[in-house]
Amino acid sequence: MPQLQVKKVVAVCFLEAAKLTLEHLGALRLELSQMGAPGPADLPRLYGDTRRLRDYLQRCVSGHQDQVELDLADADAGLLVASCRRSVEVIDRRLIEQAVPPDERSWLQKKLEVVGDWAVELAAKPLMELPLRRLSATSSEQVRALTTRLQNKVFGDVRERAKVLPPSTTNSMVQGVPTFGEEVQAMSPRGTGEFDGVFTNHTGQLPRPVAPAPIAAAPTERQIEPQLFDHVKLCDPRLRSLASVDLRSYERALAANDYRLATVLMASVLEAAVLDHVIPRRTEFGLSGTPDTWNPQELLMTALGEQATPKDRSLVYHLFAARNLLRPATQIVTPSVVTVSSFERLREFVQRALHGIGFGSVSHTLPPGSMRAADFGSSAGPGI
């Protein structure tokens, strides 16, 4: 979905809704674990998605600006709508069942109205249903009214559409939410669906603790070219030395079919190239302080300029989040896996990005359908 700009108070309401949903999902996971019940298959992934959404909203509202810009993927927007619906249900129950002071009641009613209106504004197919119990046996008037508005927004007037089946008749209460692997497949420039691997991460476009296909079962006939770019093109001698070491380790990891470590090293190499590109252009990028305080993701997207698509933003986020693959504390909570296909898609993005900021190898042939350096032109970003 396009970038969204909201007042900070609205973004705070979104954050509170995500926190509330995460708390309820965590309680459900604990209850199912104590009972020894398997629970919904999508629950671990949904919990990871919600936590990532909460962390993203927390970063967005941490500034001092009155307006907050949100860049949400369609799946994240659907999860946010579901979280807002849960928040409306909780607020409405509190207003009905608890003795609330008049001034707080007025504030809660206004908050309920704002959250409900934004849920309708962001709603799109498919409407996500959280695998959580209803807070009351019967829905209140406010909850029913919001459900009606959402269905009218998504499916059209009830008199002009087919009967909407209740969630209990579907196979999964959170079906329709794509994994990162599914998004990678959708982003294939050839549209063949050949990138069917799953790369999930701590947030992420989306962790699901599913058992990955064994490395031995990977298609060995598809050889991944080890070379990314010529590190001697880097101007800074410190970055050039670091990139040289990382590139040699990257090639050894590929030779050993260690795509997890290769992904982490590939992110390190790309960060070195981004820093080498922006350090001489500090003023143009509006940078101050030391490089360790900069955000390489945003710097890369700025450098690529208008040629960077929303799908590229998704890929760069996952690439720089790959360092969490080496953090056991993160892996035991939200297991992640890199497959040949998902790694190949990330590698193609890195090649396009390196070409876009002027470090591509002339002799290197990009995959069919990929952008070349010339595609970015001389105004691909500040300082180019």
Side-chain angles (χ1 to χ4, degrees), residues 3-117:
Q3 196 173 53
L4 182 68
Q5 188 175 63
V6 299
K7 294 182 178 179
K8 188 169 185 177
V9 65
V10 175
V12 171
C13 289
F14 289 167
L15 174 60
E16 292 176 353
K19 286 182 176 180
L20 176 69
T21 303
L22 185 65
E23 179 182 345
H24 288 191
L25 290 173
L28 177 60
R29 293 184 72 189
L30 179 61
E31 179 183 352
L32 292 173
S33 176
Q34 292 174 344
M35 295 171 55
D42 297 314
L43 182 57
R45 177 173 65 90
L46 181 60
Y47 181 86
D49 291 353
T50 309
R51 186 173 65 174
R52 174 180 52 78
L53 178 61
R54 178 206 63 184
D55 294 343
Y56 173 74
L57 293 172
Q58 182 71 64
R59 292 194 298 270
C60 290
V61 303
S62 60
H64 301 287
Q65 66 276 18
D66 294 330
Q67 298 286 331
V68 176
E69 291 187 355
L70 301 178
D71 191 3
L72 299 172
D74 291 340
D76 294 331
L79 179 56
L80 181 57
V81 170
S83 299
C84 289
R85 295 173 65 185
R86 187 67 174 180
S87 178
V88 166
E89 192 174 350
V90 171
I91 295 172
D92 185 63
R93 184 186 181 190
R94 183 179 178 186
L95 289 171
I96 294 175
E97 300 182 0
Q98 298 183 16
V100 181
D103 55 340
E104 185 178 358
R105 174 175 290 274
S106 175
W107 176 79
L108 287 174
Q109 289 175 339
K110 182 61 177 177
K111 180 179 178 181
L112 185 149
E113 179 182 345
V114 170
V115 173
D117 289 345

Side-chain angles (χ1 to χ4, degrees), residues 117-167:
D117 289 345
W118 274 104
V120 175
E121 178 68 23
L122 299 176
K125 287 184 180 179
L127 282 178
M128 180 189 297
E129 292 290 343
L130 298 173
L132 298 172
R133 299 187 185 93
R134 295 292 182 184
L135 298 179
S136 58
T138 58
S139 299
S140 67
E141 182 179 349
Q142 290 281 2
V143 174
R144 290 197 302 270
L146 176 59
T147 302
T148 300
R149 292 173 63 194
L150 288 169
Q151 292 183 347
N152 287 340
K153 165 72 180 301
V154 174
F155 302 105
D157 190 274
V158 67
R159 294 168 296 183
E160 300 176 1
R161 57 182 165 88
K163 181 179 179 181
V164 179
L165 297 177

Side-chain angles (χ1 to χ4, degrees), residues 15 20 22 28 58 98 100 150 178 184 204 212 237 243 279 285 294 300 313 320 327 342 346 353 355 366:
L15 174 60
L20 176 69
L22 185 65
L28 177 60
Q58 182 71 64
Q98 298 183 16
V100 181
L150 288 169
V184 170
I279 284 176
F285 282 85
W294 303 343
L300 176 59
R313 180 174 292 274
F320 283 109
R327 294 189 57 203
S342 59
L346 289 173
H355 276 69
L366 286 176

